[in-house]
């Protein structure tokens, strides 16, 4: 196989076989290239067969990229290679083996909202709803226990107060309810294969024999369950290759353990270790700045990354007064980048430490008519109307799924309220039956008339489509169901903008099932539901669409952009205040900052505010993040900015001093239809329509490239050119 496109370190890592391999791959050093070349090398050199390879990563997008690159290298079909996320690989194992734990293969996968719904039901049944424990808190605590492989019995030892003991009791009931619903959560997907392997060595042996070579991407992000799973599967042949970067370990809060990569040589003492230090993504200015910060961490492997892209521009540092001025500064710098360097909107990413920081940025972007998309907002498959349809499909596949049953039993409205559902539940407990089964006979529950008829009709509907599962493909079944239930008609009849959008979303869901069937011929509804359940925020990001991307630094992991704006760089916000006196948390915050800087290919802007409003308070006196101070001055330049905001101190009714902010207002009544104008982003255009006056004046502009925009004049900064 031709390995000439690899540098010496990459080539050596690819050719190392018949031994455990540890690859420290610095940011932008070509780790995906190494992994894909190694897979191709193993196959082309006849070291292992394609079906004997297991390659694991953390996102569907990364898995998709890996599959495509391997396919390109091998010039053919790679269907036999098992490339997927930890969760998808484990789901595949469980479809075959979960019967050993008392579940059926048609189990449902509960996402966070499903988990919270189940917890709410449990809390209501145990009269805990008036307790101060929040369902979301319970869900997060249970997930934390599971990620550390702590069962309810063991969790009781860590319960130091009444609230913790209540959560452990809920945890016990939660696990039992999941089993009754024939459902698993995301943590179970990882933990259950371990339980099966530990209790059934024969089954473990089957998968050890099947996968003779194991490759793991982003190994620094593995938690305890993932580490043990990989270790168990690799124990027989010890042909394992892990790739990662300890400097990019940023998920301790969800159970990731940096020691997994740092201690790999202890677990596999015969391993060969390689370090990739050529950076192909960022300029040297960015790279040196990032390294100068992360080198302040103690728990790391020393690396000396060098960019192949030249020195590049200095990092821009902008001090602003508050979050509004910070947003204006981002817009100003973005407009200059577009004008001077002919960039497009999808060249930019705006990163922040917490989701709440997006509000001021969004306001500014909307005022300036700049398209943007937030990664980490409500994903398509989490929208209510979409989840409702998915709820029907899940219930049809798994009639034990009471969370889905509760969700759809009265959608569209058929006169079955929550009190009726509660009656059904009480009857199911009394008769020792599944909740779905009692719907067939409303009489014992004294549910009569229209309600009784509706219950029986719902029961027959779900049974009917359950029986059709083997006769119809996923697309046919979903479309028939939506039509018979009248979901599209329901939204169409509402005749308002919001419901029109929901109508379109249901159609888009049906289209997505069609596309899935084209991609995976012969797939079942269960297969589609599994894929949807395992999607992440980043899987919905599309770089080909022309908009500015906004997201948290955590969400940006694995991505790259020509220009990155890193906002909110004040001590207490980034790094978080909780990190200021905790070494391990501070080191993770520093790694997070390193990840943020190394998302950029060409230019980075660092922004901080001296008087940011946070957490409902009027202001938050801020000082520049210590991470900025850890960057040598030679890599940065200060950029002055002042927005059109006037500020004055005023007394409130209570006598407190408060800052009052006001945007400068200008009259713009000198525009008329036919004027030629220039916009800093959209270029030259002609005013085609005009309405309002003063600060409310709006214009309709037809730009030269055919783009038509409605703009508020006071924010658009239009310049007359004739």
């Amino acid at each position: 196989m031709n390995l000439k496109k690899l540098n010496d370190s990459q080539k050596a890592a690819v050719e190392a076989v018949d031994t455990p391999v540890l690859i420290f791959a610095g940011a932008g050093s070509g780790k995906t290239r190494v992994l894909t070349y190694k897979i191709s090398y193993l196959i082309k050199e006849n070291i292992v067969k394609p079906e004997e390879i297991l390659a694991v990563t953390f996102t569907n997008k990364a898995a998709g990229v890996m599959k495509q690159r391997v396919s390109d290298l091998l010039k053919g079909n790679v269907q036999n290679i098992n490339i997927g996320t930890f969760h998808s690989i484990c789901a595949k194992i469980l479809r075959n083996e979960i019967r050993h734990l008392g579940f059926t293969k048609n189990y449902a996968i509960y996402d966070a909202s499903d988990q919270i719904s189940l917890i709410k039901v449990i809390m209501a049944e145990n009269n805990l709803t008036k307790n101060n424990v929040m369902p979301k808190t319970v869900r997060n605590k249970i997930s934390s226990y599971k990620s550390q492989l702590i069962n309810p019995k063991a969790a009781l030892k860590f319960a130091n107060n009444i609230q913790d003991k209540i959560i452990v009791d809920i945890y016990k009931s939660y696990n039992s309810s999941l089993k009754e619903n024939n459902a698993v959560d995301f943590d179970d997907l990882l933990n259950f294969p371990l339980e099966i392997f530990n209790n059934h060595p024969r089954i473990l042996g089957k998968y050890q024999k099947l996968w003779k070579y194991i490759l793991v991407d982003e190994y620094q992000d593995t938690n305890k369950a993932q580490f043990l799973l990989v270790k168990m599967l690799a124990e027989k042949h010890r042909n394992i290759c892990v790739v990662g970067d300890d400097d990019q370990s940023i998920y301790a809060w969800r159970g990731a353990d940096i020691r997994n990569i740092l201690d790999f040589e202890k677990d596999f003492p015969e391993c060969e270790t390689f370090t990739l230090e050529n950076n192909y993504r960022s300029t040297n200015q960015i790279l040196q700045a990032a390294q100068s910060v992360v080198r302040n961490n103690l728990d790391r492997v020393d690396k000396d990354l060098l960019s192949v892209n030249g020195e590049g521009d200095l990092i821009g540092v902008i001090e602003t007064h508050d979050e509004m001025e910070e947003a204006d500064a981002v817009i100003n710098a973005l407009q200059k980048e577009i004008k001077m360097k002919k960039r497009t909107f999808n060249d930019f990413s705006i990163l922040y430490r917490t989701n709440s920081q997006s509000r001021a940025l969004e306001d500014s972007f909307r005022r300036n008519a700049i398209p943007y998309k937030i990664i980490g907002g409500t994903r398509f498959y989490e929208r209510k109307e979409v989840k409702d349809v998915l709820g029907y499909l899940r219930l049809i596949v798994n009639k034990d799924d009471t969370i889905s049953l509760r969700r759809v039993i009265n959608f569209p409205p058929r006169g079955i309220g929550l009190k009726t559902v509660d009656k059904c539940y009480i009857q199911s407990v009394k008769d020792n039956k599944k909740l779905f089964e009692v719907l067939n006979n409303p009489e014992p529950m004294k549910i009569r008339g229209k309600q009784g008829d509706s219950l029986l009709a719902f029961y027959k509907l779900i049974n009917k489509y359950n029986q059709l599962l083997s006769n119809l493909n996923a697309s046919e079944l979903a479309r028939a169901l939506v039509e018979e239930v009248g979901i599209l008609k329901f939204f169409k009849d509402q005749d308002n903008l919001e419901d029109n959008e929901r109508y379109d979303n249901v159609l888009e869901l049906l289209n997505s099932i069609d596309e899935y069937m084209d991609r995976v011929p012969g797939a079942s509804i269960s297969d589609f539901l599994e894929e949807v359940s395992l999607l992440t925020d980043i899987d919905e990001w599309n770089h080909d669409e022309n908009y500015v991307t906004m997201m948290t630094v955590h969400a940006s992991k694995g991505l790259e952009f020509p220009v990155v704006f890193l906002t909110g760089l004040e001590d207490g916000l980034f790094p978080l205040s909780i990190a200021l006196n905790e070494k391990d948390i501070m080191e993770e915050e520093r790694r997070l900052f390193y990840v943020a800087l190394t998302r950029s290919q060409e230019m980075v802007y660092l922004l901080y505010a001296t008087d940011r409003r946070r957490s409902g308070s009027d202001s938050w006196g801020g000082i520049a993040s210590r991470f900025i101070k850890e960057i040598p001055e030679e890599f940065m330049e200060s950029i002055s900015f002042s927005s059109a905001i006037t500020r004055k101190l005023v007394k409130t009714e209570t006598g407190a001093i408060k800052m009052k902010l006001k945007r400068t207002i200008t009259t713009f009544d000198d525009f008329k239809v036919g004027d030629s104008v220039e916009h800093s982003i959209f270029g030259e255009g002609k005013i085609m329509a005009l309405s309002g006056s003063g600060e409310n004046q709006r214009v309709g502009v037809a730009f030269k490239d055919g783009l038509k925009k409605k703009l508020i004049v006071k924010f658009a900064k239009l310049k007359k050119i004739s």
Side-chain angles (χ1 to χ4, degrees):
M1 183 179 176
N2 188 357
L3 304 179
K4 289 182 179 178
K5 291 184 179 180
L6 305 179
N7 63 42
D8 291 344
S9 298
Q10 290 173 332
K11 183 173 179 290
V14 167
E15 292 179 327
V17 294
D18 297 325
T19 185
V21 173
L22 168 62
I23 305 172
F24 286 106
S29 62
K31 66 177 179 63
T32 305
R33 168 172 283 195
V34 169
L35 279 172
T36 52
Y37 265 83
K38 194 170 186 74
I39 293 170
S40 304
Y41 181 81
L42 290 168
I43 294 169
K44 281 203 169 183
E45 298 298 317
N46 295 315
I47 297 168
V48 288
K49 298 173 182 175
E51 61 270 22
E52 295 173 334
I53 295 173
L54 173 65
V56 192
T57 187
F58 275 82
T59 68
N60 294 291
K61 189 173 283 291
V65 169
M66 197 180 293
K67 282 180 186 175
Q68 187 56 57
R69 291 194 186 180
V70 171
S71 179
D72 293 342
L73 287 170
L74 294 176
K75 297 181 173 61
N77 194 327
V78 293
Q79 294 300 316
N80 291 335
I81 305 174
N82 290 283
I83 301 176
T85 64
F86 271 102
H87 287 96
S88 68
I89 296 296
C90 286
K92 185 176 180 178
I93 294 172
L94 290 181
R95 291 292 174 201
N96 294 324
E97 314 296 348
I98 201 168
R99 67 184 184 279
H100 297 288
L101 298 178
F103 295 76
T104 73
K105 66 177 183 179
N106 290 326
Y107 64 84
I109 301 172
Y110 280 4
D111 62 17
S113 67
D114 298 321
Q115 292 174 262
I116 290 170
S117 295
L118 180 59
I119 289 165
K120 284 179 178 177
V121 171
I122 293 167
M123 291 176 71
E125 289 172 358
N126 292 277
N127 295 316
L128 296 173
T129 51
K130 294 180 181 179
N131 193 281
N132 290 326
V133 183
M134 300 298 292
K136 187 177 179 181
T137 303
V138 176
R139 183 261 167 196
N140 291 342
K141 191 69 176 178
I142 290 174
S143 182
S144 177
Y145 284 138
K146 287 191 175 187
S147 71
Q148 300 172 68
L149 301 178
I150 299 172
N151 61 31
K153 187 177 179 180
L156 196 57
K157 298 175 184 176
F158 298 95
N160 299 317
N161 52 54
I162 293 173
Q163 180 171 298
D164 285 349
K165 289 177 180 176
I166 290 171
I167 291 174
V168 172
D169 286 340
I170 296 171
Y171 181 16
K172 194 184 300 179
S173 299
Y174 170 81
N175 278 350
S176 299
S177 295
L178 279 176
K179 195 164 187 176
E180 288 170 10
N181 285 290
N182 194 38
V184 303
D185 60 28
F186 285 100
D187 295 300
D188 292 333
L189 282 176
L190 300 176
N191 295 354
F192 281 179
L194 285 177
E195 188 175 339
I196 294 168
F197 289 164
N198 281 319
N199 295 331
H200 303 275
R202 180 184 57 79
I203 297 174
L204 171 61
K206 179 174 73 174
Y207 288 96
Q208 287 177 333
K209 186 179 179 182
L210 176 64
W211 294 320
K212 292 181 178 177
Y213 207 104
I214 298 170
L215 303 99
V216 187
D217 192 15
E218 305 285 8
Y219 192 68
Q220 79 281 346
D221 292 333
T222 53
N223 64 16
K224 188 174 182 178
Q226 290 159 335
F227 162 73
L228 290 173
L229 187 70
V230 167
K231 191 179 179 185
M232 289 174 82
L233 288 171
E235 193 62 41
K236 180 176 175 67
H237 300 285
R238 301 187 72 80
N239 285 326
I240 180 172
C241 171
V242 302
V243 183
D245 182 8
D246 52 305
D247 288 334
Q248 296 185 70
S249 179
I250 59 173
Y251 294 114
W253 51 276
R254 69 182 190 195
D257 188 351
I258 194 173
R259 300 310 315 177
N260 290 346
I261 190 167
L262 294 178
D263 293 342
F264 182 83
E265 291 167 299
K266 292 180 182 177
D267 298 306
F268 296 90
E270 73 273 36
C271 81
E272 288 191 56
T273 302
F274 303 89
T275 305
L276 308 183
E277 295 181 311
N278 285 353
N279 178 282
Y280 298 91
R281 177 188 298 150
S282 307
T283 64
N284 207 47
Q285 298 279 9
I286 295 169
L287 202 57
Q288 293 305 315
Q291 290 189 111
S292 67
V293 175
V294 81
R295 281 182 180 135
N296 289 287
N297 281 355
L298 299 176
D299 293 330
R300 63 183 296 272
V301 173
D302 193 40
K303 293 172 282 293
D304 189 17
L305 298 185
L306 184 65
S307 172
V308 302
N309 298 321
E311 288 301 304
D313 295 327
L314 294 173
I315 291 171
V317 181
I318 306 175
E319 178 186 299
T320 64
H321 179 77
D322 53 31
E323 69 276 11
M324 290 188 295
E325 189 168 84
E326 181 182 66
D328 287 347
V330 169
I331 296 286
N332 182 263
L334 183 146
Q335 290 173 335
K336 286 180 179 177
E337 287 277 348
I338 289 174
K339 194 169 184 177
M340 296 173 66
K341 298 186 179 179
K342 308 298 180 188
R343 299 194 188 275
T344 54
F345 294 128
N346 57 3
D347 286 336
F348 301 94
S349 178
I350 302 170
L351 306 182
Y352 34 77
R353 180 62 182 85
T354 63
N355 277 306
S356 61
Q357 292 168 248
S358 72
R359 195 245 344 134
L361 292 160
E362 287 186 78
D363 289 348
S364 187
F365 271 66
R366 282 195 295 266
R367 283 196 305 269
N368 289 274
I370 295 175
Y372 68 91
K373 184 171 183 178
I374 293 181
I375 305 300
T378 302
R379 301 201 305 267
F380 176 77
Y381 292 105
E382 290 179 350
R383 293 169 186 169
K384 182 185 179 305
E385 60 279 8
V386 174
K387 287 211 69 169
D388 287 339
V389 179
L390 293 175
Y392 268 107
L393 297 176
R394 286 174 25 167
L395 183 59
I396 288 164
V397 170
N398 174 22
K399 292 185 288 186
D400 294 343
D401 184 355
T402 62
I403 296 303
S404 292
L405 187 152
R406 288 172 180 271
R407 182 178 194 99
V408 303
I409 195 168
N410 198 40
F411 174 76
R414 49 174 65 92
I416 304 173
L418 290 176
K419 288 184 178 178
T420 303
V421 177
D422 288 341
K423 283 183 181 179
C424 295
Y425 172 74
I426 292 167
Q427 191 67 38
S428 70
V429 174
K430 184 180 176 182
D431 295 347
N432 195 26
K433 290 182 176 179
K434 299 289 187 181
L435 179 57
F436 179 77
E437 292 172 7
V438 303
L439 306 184
N440 189 36
N441 185 17
E443 186 62 33
M445 298 172 285
K446 298 180 180 178
I447 301 172
R448 302 182 179 95
K450 189 176 178 181
Q451 275 194 329
D453 294 342
S454 294
L455 274 181
L456 192 56
F458 180 78
Y459 174 87
K460 289 179 177 177
L461 175 84
I462 300 302
N463 256 345
K464 171 185 170 182
Y465 280 92
N466 178 264
Q467 291 165 16
L468 288 171
L469 281 170
S470 56
N471 299 325
L472 299 177
N473 66 36
S475 184
E476 292 167 337
L477 187 141
R479 288 185 177 277
L481 173 76
V482 167
E483 177 68 26
E484 183 166 349
V485 174
I487 294 173
L488 287 172
K489 183 179 182 301
F490 172 74
F491 289 129
K492 200 168 187 176
D493 288 348
Q494 305 306 305
D495 196 26
N496 61 61
L497 190 62
E498 189 177 355
D499 284 301
N500 287 342
E501 189 175 319
R502 287 173 173 166
Y503 177 94
D504 291 339
N505 286 336
V506 173
L507 284 180
E508 184 58 31
L509 172 62
L510 295 175
N511 290 336
S512 75
I513 299 175
D514 294 343
E515 290 167 7
Y516 178 76
M517 293 301 300
D518 291 339
R519 192 160 38 88
V520 191
S524 66
I525 281 287
S526 294
D527 296 327
F528 173 76
L529 291 172
E530 181 177 296
E531 176 163 289
V532 168
S533 297
L534 300 179
L535 288 175
T536 62
D537 290 334
I538 209 62
D539 294 319
E540 293 191 9
W541 177 73
N542 183 0
H543 188 264
D544 294 332
E545 296 180 21
N546 195 24
Y547 51 70
V548 178
T549 303
M550 295 186 192
M551 65 186 110
T552 64
V553 181
H554 281 102
S556 74
K557 180 84 179 304
L559 303 179
E560 57 186 35
F561 300 86
V563 183
V564 167
F565 293 90
L566 183 52
T567 62
L569 285 172
E570 302 110 45
D571 263 11
L573 183 54
F574 198 178
L576 293 174
S577 53
I578 193 176
L580 300 181
N581 297 307
E582 293 284 344
K583 170 187 166 291
D584 288 349
I585 302 176
M586 179 60 76
E587 292 209 348
E588 176 136 333
E589 290 286 296
R590 194 172 276 116
R591 292 193 293 268
L592 191 61
F593 184 81
Y594 173 85
V595 167
L597 258 62
T598 55
R599 296 313 91 200
S600 176
Q601 297 167 303
E602 300 171 21
M603 184 65 196
V604 172
Y605 292 92
L606 306 179
L607 297 99
Y608 66 96
T610 58
D611 198 28
R612 182 183 304 273
R613 281 175 291 276
R614 288 178 60 195
S615 304
S617 62
D618 289 330
S619 66
W620 179 281
I623 59 172
S625 169
R626 63 192 62 201
F627 299 153
I628 295 178
K629 298 171 185 175
E630 289 176 359
I631 300 173
E633 290 184 3
E634 64 197 80
F635 300 126
M636 300 184 293
E637 65 174 340
S638 181
I639 299 173
S640 299
F641 178 79
S642 182
S643 67
I645 299 176
T646 57
R647 304 173 176 84
K648 66 177 181 179
L649 296 174
V650 296
K651 269 190 179 181
T652 66
E653 293 179 359
T654 61
I657 302 295
K658 181 179 178 180
M659 181 75 73
K660 188 176 180 180
L661 304 167
K662 187 179 178 182
R663 289 187 177 272
T664 302
I665 304 298
T666 310
T667 300
F668 297 100
D669 289 334
D670 57 339
F671 288 112
K672 62 183 183 293
V673 174
D675 280 349
S676 294
V677 293
E678 185 180 25
H679 189 277
S680 61
I681 294 173
F682 305 120
E684 292 182 14
K686 183 177 283 188
I687 293 179
M688 307 303 291
L690 233 168
S691 65
S693 62
E695 63 179 281
N696 295 316
Q697 188 177 46
R698 297 171 180 264
V699 292
V701 184
F703 293 97
K704 282 190 171 180
D705 62 356
L707 182 69
K708 294 180 180 177
K709 283 281 182 181
K710 292 180 181 177
L711 304 171
I712 302 173
V713 175
K714 78 170 179 176
F715 298 126
K717 300 176 184 176
L718 291 173
K719 183 172 131 186
K720 266 195 200 183
I721 55 178
S722 68

